[in-house]
Amino acid sequence: MKKNIYTIFLGIILFIGGQILLTSSSNGRAFSANDGNTGAPGESQTCRSCHGGGQFNATVNITVKDSSGFPVTNYVPGKVYDVDVAISTTNAAQRYGFQLVTLTSNAIPYNAWSQPSANTRIANVGQRSYAEHKGKSETNLFSTKWTAPVAGTGDIVFYAGGAAVNNNGSTSGDNGDVTSLTLIEDISTSSIEYSIENVVSFFPIPAEDYFFLKNNGESSLNGVIRVIDLQGKTISEELVNVLPNGQVEISVRQLKSGIYMAQFASSNQSILNKRIVIR
Ligand code: HEC
């Protein structure tokens, strides 16, 4: 009996602790509640779910700028961009908070934040990395740098949530909003070589344990086949010689499922990057 009372007591303490942890967000939702609230696929709530009232009429805006400060809607693979999230209001709010995440068009996490501004921190929830407010911010502007993924990744979607708050330590009187922005891969500047694309192909996509590189050309090909993750890290590398009409097999059995880049760098300097899906 005594044991039961202790168990119930412990349960209540854990429950209250859990509630405080789950509901707290003045320190950033990923950092203090392990939750994402940007409106991205897979999230269950947005800032507005809890901060839904108030007079502020919050609107969230995402701007991605190139190194000369021009807003862009395309990205060049591997380039570094400045990302601003601004929360505008009809009446100035006392404090502001936000959250930002990037995913591929099929909702695979793509994490590439760096150098957050003083009011911004990076925190993870599962496989996703969020940029978010570090304490309640007096300014409505949050910034971080972001490195675009490798060629062949395709569209990247930025999801942001924001809250304009009255600094009363609760959600009352606050207003939240979410938005998203899709950046299209700029293929005119990517390293895809169209001539080699006519000669070499990767299949099957999606692959399970193996994929193949086929030489559709009339002369042998020498080069390196690499498997690269979305952050640009080389995971495997193999020197190959492929006869005309021949093919080589690359094992991907040990890789986690997801999107990767298969790269063939031919000894004649041409490079083919192809997005592959591993199941
Ligand atoms: C599940 C409910 C919930 C969600 C979703 C939520 N919050 Fe909160 N938030 C709270 C609670 C409860 C508080 C008060 C406790 C605290 O300060 O942590 C709060 C407080 C805040 C405060 C300080 C408010 C004040 O007036 O003092 C900010 C800023 C804030 N949240 C930002 C955000 C942002 C930005 C998002 C979306 C990315 C968000 N919150 C999503 C529940 C939530």
Side-chain angles (χ1 to χ4, degrees):
M1 189 60 199
K2 205 164 180 193
K3 196 171 161 218
N4 278 346
I5 287 170
Y6 278 130
T7 314
I8 290 167
F9 189 63
L10 189 70
I12 290 171
I13 301 257
L14 286 177
F15 179 77
I16 294 172
Q19 290 301 299
I20 291 171
L21 212 67
L22 277 173
T23 51
S24 166
S25 66
S26 52
N27 247 316
R29 290 292 295 167
F31 180 79
S32 55
N34 197 33
D35 204 11
N37 304 127
T38 63
E43 296 176 349
S44 54
Q45 283 178 306
T46 71
C47 308
R48 200 193 276 276
S49 317
C50 301
H51 303 270
Q55 311 297 316
F56 299 125
N57 253 320
T59 333
V60 181
N61 263 299
I62 306 169
T63 315
V64 182
K65 296 180 297 186
D66 66 15
S67 52
S68 350
F70 287 112
V72 297
T73 49
N74 286 13
Y75 71 83
V76 177
K79 237 176 118 174
V80 179
Y81 292 88
D82 287 297
V83 185
D84 288 344
V85 173
I87 294 122
S88 28
T89 51
T90 40
N91 313 312
Q94 277 68 37
R95 295 287 188 277
Y96 301 87
F98 90 114
Q99 220 181 17
L100 175 68
V101 70
T102 49
L103 307 178
T104 68
S105 53
N106 23 13
I108 309 279
Y110 175 67
N111 306 325
W113 309 120
S114 62
Q115 299 179 45
S117 56
N119 61 353
T120 301
R121 113 167 88 217
I122 313 300
N124 293 339
V125 178
Q127 304 276 300
R128 298 180 182 182
S129 168
Y130 287 84
E132 63 182 15
H133 60 278
K134 185 163 101 192
K136 306 177 198 179
S137 169
E138 291 186 22
T139 75
N140 64 340
L141 183 68
F142 302 88
S143 308
T144 167
K145 289 192 184 294
W146 176 83
T147 307
V150 292
T153 306
D155 293 0
I156 291 284
V157 192
F158 289 69
Y159 295 91
V165 306
N166 57 7
N167 199 19
N168 70 352
S170 84
T171 54
S172 67
D174 304 340
N175 196 237
D177 184 38
V178 293
T179 189
S180 71
L181 173 75
T182 300
L183 242 58
I184 294 164
E185 179 180 347
D186 187 343
I187 48 167
S188 63
T189 51
S190 84
S191 54
I192 293 173
E193 277 275 348
Y194 291 96
S195 54
I196 190 165
E197 191 158 50
N198 293 335
V199 176
V200 168
S201 55
F202 288 111
F203 70 94
I205 300 171
E208 230 167 299
D209 290 340
Y210 299 97
F211 72 89
F212 298 88
L213 174 138
K214 177 143 203 286
N215 178 0
N216 306 307
E218 279 158 17
S219 43
S220 320
L221 284 170
N222 290 306
V224 184
I225 298 176
R226 298 190 178 92
V227 178
I228 302 170
D229 71 14
L230 290 186
Q231 273 68 32
K233 202 176 97 199
T234 300
I235 293 177
S236 70
E237 203 169 48
E238 198 174 322
L239 270 173
V240 291
N241 176 290
V242 202
L243 298 175
N245 271 314
Q247 60 190 46
V248 287
E249 178 185 278
I250 299 105
S251 166
V252 287
R253 185 176 278 160
Q254 75 285 7
L255 296 186
K256 278 195 281 183
S257 44
I259 296 182
Y260 295 84
M261 210 55 61
Q263 180 180 79
F264 178 67
S266 150
S267 53
N268 71 11
Q269 309 290 309
S270 27
I271 292 180
L272 174 74
N273 284 319
K274 196 93 201 168
R275 183 178 146 127
I276 55 167
V277 180
I278 295 172
R279 279 206 287 235

